[in-house]
Amino acid sequence: MANFPPDFLWGAATASYQVEGAYQQDGKGPSIWDIYSHLPGTTYQGTNGDIAADHYNRYEEDVRLMAELGLRSYRFSIAWARIFPNGMGEVNPEGIAFYSRLIDELLKYQIIPFATLYHWDLPQALQDIGGWENRAVADAFATYAKICFEQFGDRVTYWLTFNEVINFIMLGYRDGLHPPGVKDERRVVEVTHIVNIAHAKAIAEYRQLTREGKILAGKIGMAHVLLPGFPISDQPEDIQAYENYEVMDHHWFYDPVLRGDYPQTMWNYYQSKWGAPTVLEGDLALLKQAKSDFIGVNYYQSTFLAHNPLNGVGLTTINTTGEKGSQKESGIPGLFKRVINPNIDYTDWDWAIYPEGLHEGIKRIQERYGTIPIVITENGIGAKDAIAANGEILDYPRIEYLKQHILACKRAIADSIPVFGYFAWSYIDLLSWLNGYQKQYGFVYIDREKDLERRKKQSYFWYQRVIQTNGAKL
């Protein structure tokens, strides 16, 4: 089996709302999550990101821990409302200064900054004018992106426009579980296209600045969720369910970014049900011109599909309890249903542990879109980590999970698929959106009873060795 390339990006990732805290500090404006998480009944036991891991005030300590860990790269997201408190208009110099300090601190330790422009925390002021349903927000995003490129593009050469478009759209506009808390399939279709236009406009701004030599010519793409489907049996109706799922949950979101168009079968389906997206003159040309330099994939699990009749199961709420078996079958009547595979293990939150799915999902991307560089922008397991009597954090299940998924990356590289980096989710224990702080992901434990004290877990020392040996010792 092939070795990892010598310049492979061994990294870890976080997101602004989930780690920074300081939600009203130094001129930051409110984001949709600052507002939504304070509404009764929206999150587990009312948890929110007001303080989170207080990374905003403790970033120097955190970067030192990253350096000790040996990270070659750190993926973080920029909080739009720190740069533009109102989403557009006047720039907040304190927000610029914070990310500039963070980037400089990373570079001091030879850690490559890998910046995400949007990780779900839209400025509330933009939501107040319609959010992603308003095409003016796509223009505002392009302006915000341009400012970030101009301010940080002399030191940041890896950029992501959006994180997991399918999740923030579906959870926010179809399921009503994330802000803005809407359940309307027609609005899902419209928002998807507007977000794709925002992505394309940001890439156009980046290309223009690099052509003019105003910033370093780096690489820009998007981080999509990778949740590959597999038929639960070899019966034709289950295979058809899998194919329906793939075009709805993958091709509809990947094609505009990597091909510059929409899959016709899905376009026809939406047109017959709720109407196709409103496409203005020049939109499709803009998508065609916005070719990504790479694609980031966030992989946690796979899903298993079975036939779902027209009167079959619909959508269900997600598991926020951390009790296995809480999540039931769900699906789209007439298209597919997600089912439990009795032959594999699941996490406490009913996420399928299936490293084979990472390898297969990467292969499918290459088969459909040709040779495009891939980076694993997130991969990890949410768990209730055990704490020994001496305070040691015993997270062996995390080590085993990451090990098997890194081996899947190694197999992909052996198959000549250009995987150039791996970012574990996450560097540190952080807020898990709806699940609060009961679900740990990090290499570093946060003691919420002791002034947010940082403690290294078993997995920290394991990943340190993986990086030191460039993946030779797993």
Side-chain angles (χ1 to χ4, degrees), residues 312-349:
V313 299
L315 301 169
T316 62
T317 57
I318 64 173
N319 178 356
T320 60
T321 65
E323 297 175 6
K324 283 188 179 179
S326 297
Q327 190 162 305
K328 308 301 180 184
E329 290 182 350
S330 66
I332 308 293
L335 292 181
F336 59 81
K337 67 177 176 182
R338 302 175 185 87
V339 296
I340 299 297
N341 183 339
N343 299 313
I344 65 171
D345 291 329
Y346 285 76
T347 74
D348 288 338
W349 278 267

mmCIF file of all heavy atoms in Angstrom, residues 312-349:
data_model
loop_
_atom_site.group_PDB
_atom_site.id
_atom_site.type_symbol
_atom_site.label_atom_id
_atom_site.label_comp_id
_atom_site.label_asym_id
_atom_site.label_seq_id
_atom_site.Cartn_x
_atom_site.Cartn_y
_atom_site.Cartn_z
ATOM 1 N N GLY A 312 -44.932 5.524 2.602
ATOM 2 C CA GLY A 312 -43.927 5.066 3.561
ATOM 3 C C GLY A 312 -43.499 6.134 4.549
ATOM 4 O O GLY A 312 -44.152 7.180 4.706
ATOM 5 N N VAL A 313 -42.353 5.883 5.220
ATOM 6 C CA VAL A 313 -41.893 6.755 6.300
ATOM 7 C C VAL A 313 -41.363 8.068 5.740
ATOM 8 O O VAL A 313 -40.828 8.126 4.637
ATOM 9 C CB VAL A 313 -40.794 6.073 7.146
ATOM 10 C CG1 VAL A 313 -41.329 4.808 7.792
ATOM 11 C CG2 VAL A 313 -39.555 5.773 6.322
ATOM 12 N N GLY A 314 -41.517 9.129 6.533
ATOM 13 C CA GLY A 314 -40.995 10.437 6.176
ATOM 14 C C GLY A 314 -39.841 10.811 7.070
ATOM 15 O O GLY A 314 -39.169 9.948 7.666
ATOM 16 N N LEU A 315 -39.611 12.097 7.205
ATOM 17 C CA LEU A 315 -38.492 12.602 7.994
ATOM 18 C C LEU A 315 -38.757 12.423 9.479
ATOM 19 O O LEU A 315 -39.898 12.467 9.943
ATOM 20 C CB LEU A 315 -38.265 14.080 7.682
ATOM 21 C CG LEU A 315 -37.959 14.404 6.224
ATOM 22 C CD1 LEU A 315 -38.015 15.899 5.995
ATOM 23 C CD2 LEU A 315 -36.591 13.862 5.847
ATOM 24 N N THR A 316 -37.672 12.242 10.250
ATOM 25 C CA THR A 316 -37.781 12.165 11.707
ATOM 26 C C THR A 316 -36.772 13.129 12.318
ATOM 27 O O THR A 316 -35.841 13.586 11.658
ATOM 28 C CB THR A 316 -37.485 10.745 12.234
ATOM 29 O OG1 THR A 316 -36.134 10.406 11.904
ATOM 30 C CG2 THR A 316 -38.425 9.732 11.635
ATOM 31 N N THR A 317 -36.954 13.431 13.583
ATOM 32 C CA THR A 317 -35.988 14.286 14.275
ATOM 33 C C THR A 317 -34.694 13.513 14.515
ATOM 34 O O THR A 317 -34.686 12.284 14.552
ATOM 35 C CB THR A 317 -36.540 14.774 15.622
ATOM 36 O OG1 THR A 317 -36.885 13.633 16.419
ATOM 37 C CG2 THR A 317 -37.769 15.624 15.416
ATOM 38 N N ILE A 318 -33.606 14.252 14.684
ATOM 39 C CA ILE A 318 -32.320 13.606 14.905
ATOM 40 C C ILE A 318 -32.160 13.227 16.367
ATOM 41 O O ILE A 318 -32.850 13.742 17.252
ATOM 42 C CB ILE A 318 -31.169 14.507 14.445
ATOM 43 C CG1 ILE A 318 -31.102 15.790 15.276
ATOM 44 C CG2 ILE A 318 -31.282 14.841 12.977
ATOM 45 C CD1 ILE A 318 -29.894 16.635 14.972
ATOM 46 N N ASN A 319 -31.225 12.343 16.630
ATOM 47 C CA ASN A 319 -30.961 11.855 17.979
ATOM 48 C C ASN A 319 -30.119 12.872 18.748
ATOM 49 O O ASN A 319 -28.952 13.079 18.420
ATOM 50 C CB ASN A 319 -30.238 10.506 17.873
ATOM 51 C CG ASN A 319 -29.865 9.909 19.225
ATOM 52 O OD1 ASN A 319 -30.068 10.521 20.265
ATOM 53 N ND2 ASN A 319 -29.328 8.705 19.202
ATOM 54 N N THR A 320 -30.689 13.507 19.744
ATOM 55 C CA THR A 320 -29.927 14.423 20.604
ATOM 56 C C THR A 320 -29.730 13.866 22.002
ATOM 57 O O THR A 320 -29.130 14.515 22.852
ATOM 58 C CB THR A 320 -30.633 15.791 20.717
ATOM 59 O OG1 THR A 320 -31.925 15.603 21.284
ATOM 60 C CG2 THR A 320 -30.763 16.453 19.355
ATOM 61 N N THR A 321 -30.226 12.651 22.251
ATOM 62 C CA THR A 321 -30.157 12.092 23.604
ATOM 63 C C THR A 321 -28.873 11.331 23.879
ATOM 64 O O THR A 321 -28.479 11.171 25.032
ATOM 65 C CB THR A 321 -31.345 11.141 23.851
ATOM 66 O OG1 THR A 321 -31.229 10.019 22.961
ATOM 67 C CG2 THR A 321 -32.671 11.838 23.596
ATOM 68 N N GLY A 322 -28.226 10.818 22.834
ATOM 69 C CA GLY A 322 -27.044 10.000 23.045
ATOM 70 C C GLY A 322 -27.379 8.602 23.518
ATOM 71 O O GLY A 322 -26.567 7.929 24.141
ATOM 72 N N GLU A 323 -28.566 8.134 23.192
ATOM 73 C CA GLU A 323 -28.973 6.775 23.538
ATOM 74 C C GLU A 323 -29.162 5.987 22.251
ATOM 75 O O GLU A 323 -29.929 6.379 21.371
ATOM 76 C CB GLU A 323 -30.283 6.796 24.331
ATOM 77 C CG GLU A 323 -30.176 7.517 25.667
ATOM 78 C CD GLU A 323 -31.504 7.626 26.380
ATOM 79 O OE1 GLU A 323 -32.491 7.041 25.876
ATOM 80 O OE2 GLU A 323 -31.571 8.297 27.420
ATOM 81 N N LYS A 324 -28.448 4.892 22.129
ATOM 82 C CA LYS A 324 -28.534 4.096 20.917
ATOM 83 C C LYS A 324 -29.972 3.631 20.681
ATOM 84 O O LYS A 324 -30.680 3.261 21.611
ATOM 85 C CB LYS A 324 -27.600 2.890 21.002
ATOM 86 C CG LYS A 324 -26.137 3.245 20.772
ATOM 87 C CD LYS A 324 -25.287 2.006 20.670
ATOM 88 C CE LYS A 324 -23.817 2.375 20.417
ATOM 89 N NZ LYS A 324 -22.972 1.179 20.331
ATOM 90 N N GLY A 325 -30.346 3.667 19.403
ATOM 91 C CA GLY A 325 -31.682 3.222 19.044
ATOM 92 C C GLY A 325 -32.737 4.301 19.108
ATOM 93 O O GLY A 325 -33.902 4.042 18.825
ATOM 94 N N SER A 326 -32.351 5.528 19.442
ATOM 95 C CA SER A 326 -33.324 6.618 19.516
ATOM 96 C C SER A 326 -33.758 7.074 18.126
ATOM 97 O O SER A 326 -34.852 7.594 17.957
ATOM 98 C CB SER A 326 -32.737 7.804 20.285
ATOM 99 O OG SER A 326 -32.456 7.447 21.615
ATOM 100 N N GLN A 327 -32.886 6.892 17.142
ATOM 101 C CA GLN A 327 -33.189 7.363 15.794
ATOM 102 C C GLN A 327 -33.854 6.247 15.010
ATOM 103 O O GLN A 327 -33.317 5.153 14.880
ATOM 104 C CB GLN A 327 -31.898 7.811 15.108
ATOM 105 C CG GLN A 327 -32.131 8.544 13.796
ATOM 106 C CD GLN A 327 -30.914 9.338 13.384
ATOM 107 O OE1 GLN A 327 -30.423 10.153 14.132
ATOM 108 N NE2 GLN A 327 -30.420 9.087 12.184
ATOM 109 N N LYS A 328 -35.024 6.531 14.499
ATOM 110 C CA LYS A 328 -35.792 5.533 13.767
ATOM 111 C C LYS A 328 -35.568 5.683 12.265
ATOM 112 O O LYS A 328 -34.877 6.573 11.806
ATOM 113 C CB LYS A 328 -37.278 5.683 14.093
ATOM 114 C CG LYS A 328 -37.601 5.689 15.583
ATOM 115 C CD LYS A 328 -37.157 4.425 16.278
ATOM 116 C CE LYS A 328 -37.494 4.447 17.764
ATOM 117 N NZ LYS A 328 -36.979 3.262 18.479
ATOM 118 N N GLU A 329 -36.212 4.795 11.513
ATOM 119 C CA GLU A 329 -36.139 4.888 10.068
ATOM 120 C C GLU A 329 -36.699 6.232 9.614
ATOM 121 O O GLU A 329 -37.635 6.768 10.199
ATOM 122 C CB GLU A 329 -36.932 3.754 9.422
ATOM 123 C CG GLU A 329 -36.298 2.386 9.596
ATOM 124 C CD GLU A 329 -37.074 1.285 8.894
ATOM 125 O OE1 GLU A 329 -38.208 1.563 8.433
ATOM 126 O OE2 GLU A 329 -36.565 0.163 8.797
ATOM 127 N N SER A 330 -36.086 6.775 8.560
ATOM 128 C CA SER A 330 -36.585 8.022 7.990
ATOM 129 C C SER A 330 -36.340 7.990 6.498
ATOM 130 O O SER A 330 -35.530 7.202 6.005
ATOM 131 C CB SER A 330 -35.882 9.223 8.623
ATOM 132 O OG SER A 330 -34.499 9.243 8.276
ATOM 133 N N GLY A 331 -37.038 8.847 5.775
ATOM 134 C CA GLY A 331 -36.827 8.857 4.335
ATOM 135 C C GLY A 331 -37.739 9.811 3.610
ATOM 136 O O GLY A 331 -38.387 10.660 4.220
ATOM 137 N N ILE A 332 -37.803 9.643 2.299
ATOM 138 C CA ILE A 332 -38.658 10.419 1.429
ATOM 139 C C ILE A 332 -39.622 9.431 0.770
ATOM 140 O O ILE A 332 -39.178 8.566 -0.002
ATOM 141 C CB ILE A 332 -37.860 11.157 0.334
ATOM 142 C CG1 ILE A 332 -36.711 11.974 0.936
ATOM 143 C CG2 ILE A 332 -38.793 12.036 -0.498
ATOM 144 C CD1 ILE A 332 -37.136 13.143 1.776
ATOM 145 N N PRO A 333 -40.915 9.496 1.079
ATOM 146 C CA PRO A 333 -41.858 8.533 0.483
ATOM 147 C C PRO A 333 -41.756 8.495 -1.029
ATOM 148 O O PRO A 333 -41.666 9.525 -1.701
ATOM 149 C CB PRO A 333 -43.221 9.076 0.936
ATOM 150 C CG PRO A 333 -42.938 9.779 2.235
ATOM 151 C CD PRO A 333 -41.584 10.415 2.028
ATOM 152 N N GLY A 334 -41.693 7.273 -1.553
ATOM 153 C CA GLY A 334 -41.591 7.074 -2.987
ATOM 154 C C GLY A 334 -40.179 7.071 -3.522
ATOM 155 O O GLY A 334 -39.962 6.671 -4.674
ATOM 156 N N LEU A 335 -39.200 7.496 -2.694
ATOM 157 C CA LEU A 335 -37.820 7.563 -3.172
ATOM 158 C C LEU A 335 -36.894 6.612 -2.435
ATOM 159 O O LEU A 335 -36.232 5.782 -3.052
ATOM 160 C CB LEU A 335 -37.295 8.997 -3.052
ATOM 161 C CG LEU A 335 -37.919 10.040 -3.974
ATOM 162 C CD1 LEU A 335 -37.273 11.401 -3.750
ATOM 163 C CD2 LEU A 335 -37.786 9.631 -5.439
ATOM 164 N N PHE A 336 -36.820 6.737 -1.109
ATOM 165 C CA PHE A 336 -35.907 5.892 -0.329
ATOM 166 C C PHE A 336 -36.226 6.037 1.146
ATOM 167 O O PHE A 336 -36.901 6.978 1.568
ATOM 168 C CB PHE A 336 -34.439 6.282 -0.564
ATOM 169 C CG PHE A 336 -34.112 7.712 -0.220
ATOM 170 C CD1 PHE A 336 -33.866 8.108 1.094
ATOM 171 C CD2 PHE A 336 -34.062 8.681 -1.214
ATOM 172 C CE1 PHE A 336 -33.582 9.419 1.415
ATOM 173 C CE2 PHE A 336 -33.777 10.004 -0.902
ATOM 174 C CZ PHE A 336 -33.540 10.369 0.407
ATOM 175 N N LYS A 337 -35.716 5.085 1.929
ATOM 176 C CA LYS A 337 -35.710 5.238 3.381
ATOM 177 C C LYS A 337 -34.375 4.777 3.916
ATOM 178 O O LYS A 337 -33.739 3.869 3.372
ATOM 179 C CB LYS A 337 -36.859 4.487 4.049
ATOM 180 C CG LYS A 337 -36.797 2.970 3.972
ATOM 181 C CD LYS A 337 -37.971 2.363 4.743
ATOM 182 C CE LYS A 337 -37.994 0.833 4.605
ATOM 183 N NZ LYS A 337 -39.152 0.248 5.319
ATOM 184 N N ARG A 338 -33.929 5.447 4.962
ATOM 185 C CA ARG A 338 -32.679 5.093 5.640
ATOM 186 C C ARG A 338 -32.992 4.038 6.685
ATOM 187 O O ARG A 338 -33.910 4.212 7.492
ATOM 188 C CB ARG A 338 -32.056 6.330 6.275
ATOM 189 C CG ARG A 338 -31.769 7.456 5.302
ATOM 190 C CD ARG A 338 -31.274 8.699 6.036
ATOM 191 N NE ARG A 338 -31.098 9.827 5.134
ATOM 192 C CZ ARG A 338 -32.045 10.689 4.799
ATOM 193 N NH1 ARG A 338 -33.269 10.549 5.309
ATOM 194 N NH2 ARG A 338 -31.801 11.688 3.977
ATOM 195 N N VAL A 339 -32.194 2.980 6.707
ATOM 196 C CA VAL A 339 -32.448 1.874 7.634
ATOM 197 C C VAL A 339 -31.167 1.524 8.379
ATOM 198 O O VAL A 339 -30.066 1.883 7.970
ATOM 199 C CB VAL A 339 -32.973 0.631 6.880
ATOM 200 C CG1 VAL A 339 -34.318 0.928 6.236
ATOM 201 C CG2 VAL A 339 -31.973 0.157 5.833
ATOM 202 N N ILE A 340 -31.320 0.825 9.485
ATOM 203 C CA ILE A 340 -30.186 0.355 10.284
ATOM 204 C C ILE A 340 -29.589 -0.892 9.648
ATOM 205 O O ILE A 340 -30.310 -1.801 9.235
ATOM 206 C CB ILE A 340 -30.642 0.048 11.730
ATOM 207 C CG1 ILE A 340 -31.186 1.306 12.402
ATOM 208 C CG2 ILE A 340 -29.502 -0.552 12.540
ATOM 209 C CD1 ILE A 340 -30.177 2.404 12.575
ATOM 210 N N ASN A 341 -28.273 -0.917 9.561
ATOM 211 C CA ASN A 341 -27.566 -2.104 9.075
ATOM 212 C C ASN A 341 -27.165 -2.934 10.301
ATOM 213 O O ASN A 341 -26.312 -2.503 11.084
ATOM 214 C CB ASN A 341 -26.322 -1.678 8.285
ATOM 215 C CG ASN A 341 -25.584 -2.860 7.684
ATOM 216 O OD1 ASN A 341 -25.728 -3.994 8.126
ATOM 217 N ND2 ASN A 341 -24.770 -2.581 6.671
ATOM 218 N N PRO A 342 -27.739 -4.109 10.491
ATOM 219 C CA PRO A 342 -27.464 -4.888 11.707
ATOM 220 C C PRO A 342 -26.054 -5.460 11.757
ATOM 221 O O PRO A 342 -25.636 -5.980 12.803
ATOM 222 C CB PRO A 342 -28.504 -6.008 11.643
ATOM 223 C CG PRO A 342 -28.795 -6.169 10.184
ATOM 224 C CD PRO A 342 -28.684 -4.793 9.591
ATOM 225 N N ASN A 343 -25.291 -5.336 10.667
ATOM 226 C CA ASN A 343 -23.972 -5.963 10.609
ATOM 227 C C ASN A 343 -22.828 -5.018 10.955
ATOM 228 O O ASN A 343 -21.665 -5.413 10.886
ATOM 229 C CB ASN A 343 -23.747 -6.531 9.208
ATOM 230 C CG ASN A 343 -24.780 -7.588 8.842
ATOM 231 O OD1 ASN A 343 -25.060 -8.474 9.638
ATOM 232 N ND2 ASN A 343 -25.362 -7.463 7.659
ATOM 233 N N ILE A 344 -23.128 -3.774 11.311
ATOM 234 C CA ILE A 344 -22.066 -2.834 11.654
ATOM 235 C C ILE A 344 -22.383 -2.166 12.988
ATOM 236 O O ILE A 344 -23.499 -2.252 13.508
ATOM 237 C CB ILE A 344 -21.865 -1.761 10.560
ATOM 238 C CG1 ILE A 344 -23.097 -0.878 10.443
ATOM 239 C CG2 ILE A 344 -21.530 -2.393 9.222
ATOM 240 C CD1 ILE A 344 -22.890 0.321 9.547
ATOM 241 N N ASP A 345 -21.383 -1.472 13.541
ATOM 242 C CA ASP A 345 -21.563 -0.775 14.808
ATOM 243 C C ASP A 345 -22.038 0.656 14.572
ATOM 244 O O ASP A 345 -21.792 1.251 13.521
ATOM 245 C CB ASP A 345 -20.237 -0.724 15.584
ATOM 246 C CG ASP A 345 -19.806 -2.091 16.083
ATOM 247 O OD1 ASP A 345 -20.695 -2.918 16.371
ATOM 248 O OD2 ASP A 345 -18.583 -2.328 16.155
ATOM 249 N N TYR A 346 -22.698 1.194 15.589
ATOM 250 C CA TYR A 346 -23.192 2.567 15.563
ATOM 251 C C TYR A 346 -22.718 3.305 16.809
ATOM 252 O O TYR A 346 -22.477 2.699 17.861
ATOM 253 C CB TYR A 346 -24.733 2.587 15.504
ATOM 254 C CG TYR A 346 -25.286 2.235 14.146
ATOM 255 C CD1 TYR A 346 -25.307 0.911 13.698
ATOM 256 C CD2 TYR A 346 -25.769 3.217 13.287
ATOM 257 C CE1 TYR A 346 -25.799 0.578 12.442
ATOM 258 C CE2 TYR A 346 -26.266 2.898 12.026
ATOM 259 C CZ TYR A 346 -26.280 1.586 11.615
ATOM 260 O OH TYR A 346 -26.751 1.254 10.353
ATOM 261 N N THR A 347 -22.581 4.618 16.685
ATOM 262 C CA THR A 347 -22.225 5.429 17.846
ATOM 263 C C THR A 347 -23.448 5.594 18.750
ATOM 264 O O THR A 347 -24.565 5.181 18.406
ATOM 265 C CB THR A 347 -21.740 6.827 17.413
ATOM 266 O OG1 THR A 347 -22.877 7.608 16.978
ATOM 267 C CG2 THR A 347 -20.721 6.756 16.296
ATOM 268 N N ASP A 348 -23.222 6.240 19.884
ATOM 269 C CA ASP A 348 -24.343 6.496 20.799
ATOM 270 C C ASP A 348 -25.406 7.374 20.150
ATOM 271 O O ASP A 348 -26.557 7.387 20.591
ATOM 272 C CB ASP A 348 -23.839 7.172 22.075
ATOM 273 C CG ASP A 348 -23.053 6.225 22.958
ATOM 274 O OD1 ASP A 348 -23.233 4.998 22.813
ATOM 275 O OD2 ASP A 348 -22.252 6.696 23.778
ATOM 276 N N TRP A 349 -25.017 8.125 19.133
ATOM 277 C CA TRP A 349 -25.967 8.987 18.437
ATOM 278 C C TRP A 349 -26.468 8.354 17.139
ATOM 279 O O TRP A 349 -26.954 9.035 16.252
ATOM 280 C CB TRP A 349 -25.332 10.360 18.177
ATOM 281 C CG TRP A 349 -25.430 11.246 19.383
ATOM 282 C CD1 TRP A 349 -26.418 12.153 19.657
ATOM 283 C CD2 TRP A 349 -24.538 11.291 20.489
ATOM 284 N NE1 TRP A 349 -26.185 12.753 20.870
ATOM 285 C CE2 TRP A 349 -25.035 12.253 21.405
ATOM 286 C CE3 TRP A 349 -23.366 10.624 20.823
ATOM 287 C CZ2 TRP A 349 -24.405 12.551 22.601
ATOM 288 C CZ3 TRP A 349 -22.727 10.904 22.028
ATOM 289 C CH2 TRP A 349 -23.255 11.859 22.896
#
